[in-house]
Structure formats: structure tokens, C-alpha cells
Amino acid sequence: MQLIVTGRQNDSEVSFQRSSPDDALQMARDLEASGLHAVSISDITGRAYEPDEFDACFVRLSD
């Protein structure tokens, strides 16, 4: 699975490719913690997930 994590800072956009949902979520959280805004995770179909969707889409609950 290929996921692209993107964030914006000072009119510049940075993107990182990650191969697992866990890695993508961690990268997104790291970008937010670093002060980047408009952080999103995009999947292979091009759908972009905003921060309020991260937990529902990328966090797996253990049994």
C-alpha cells in the first residue's frame, strides 16, 4: 500500500511516501507537531484524508 503524507508551511508543500497506514499516520502526526498545516494522507486512488478522518481511517483498534 502506498500512501502520501502532505503538509504545508510558508506557502511550500512537502510530501512523504509511506508504505503502511501506521507509518503514514505517524508521519502526519509528526508534521502536525512540527507546525505544518493542511496535513493530509492520500491513498493510491487520490482520495485525501484530513486530520479529523485520520483516526477513523488509519487507527486499528486491537481486540
Side-chain angles (χ1 to χ4, degrees), residues 6-49:
T6 303
R8 294 189 60 80
Q9 184 176 38
N10 300 330
D11 296 326
S12 295
E13 190 171 87
V14 294
S15 295
F16 301 90
Q17 183 174 322
R18 294 294 181 257
S19 58
S20 77
D22 292 337
D23 290 343
L25 179 61
Q26 184 61 53
M27 175 56 70
R29 297 294 187 217
D30 290 348
L31 293 179
E32 287 181 315
S34 296
L36 277 74
H37 61 280
V39 175
S40 65
I41 301 173
S42 300
D43 64 20
I44 196 166
T45 68
R47 184 175 190 293
Y49 301 89

